[in-house]
Amino acid sequence: MPDLEPSEAEIRFHAIATDEAGDLVGGLRGACYWNTLHIELLWLADHARGTGIGRQMIESAEAFAVANDCEKALVETTSWQARPFYERNGYELLARLEGRPRGHASHYLAKTLLPTDATP
């Protein structure tokens, strides 16, 4: 498609979170392409959950994405993982695919990103 950015324009990035001792407690892997932030992986150590670190990593990734001309964010998670976490952070469920993987479901969520100086 002539109007779409080429795949070479994809920006891959990561964010990490460490505790006061410098130990790794979380990480996020993402990509920006087709004006969309794709959150590919988000991991938090059990003891870091509920502390706000995950929210901070999402906010950091979204700010990076907006600075790189992304207008949307997209994430896939499974039924035993983080759907409520993403919904608390403004993501809305687009689709649910039952039986992927067997006995569970995949959830596809999205969010519209606004520049920090934009008024909703």
Side-chain angles (χ1 to χ4, degrees), residues 18-73:
T18 57
D19 63 15
E20 298 79 24
D23 294 326
L24 184 67
V25 295
L28 181 147
R29 183 180 72 207
C32 294
Y33 63 97
W34 289 357
N35 73 309
T36 303
L37 162 63
H38 297 260
I39 298 173
E40 299 172 344
L41 176 75
L42 178 86
W43 167 82
L44 279 174
D46 288 339
H47 70 276
R49 294 177 185 187
T51 65
I53 293 172
R55 178 185 43 77
Q56 291 172 346
M57 286 195 316
I58 291 283
E59 289 173 353
S60 177
E62 290 173 352
F64 179 84
V66 167
N68 284 280
D69 298 322
C70 289
E71 301 163 0
K72 300 186 177 298

Side-chain angles (χ1 to χ4, degrees), residues 79 83 93-99 104-108:
S79 52
R83 178 181 166 187
L93 182 67
L94 296 174
R96 174 184 171 105
L97 181 57
E98 290 292 337
H104 301 281
S106 288
H107 301 278
Y108 302 88

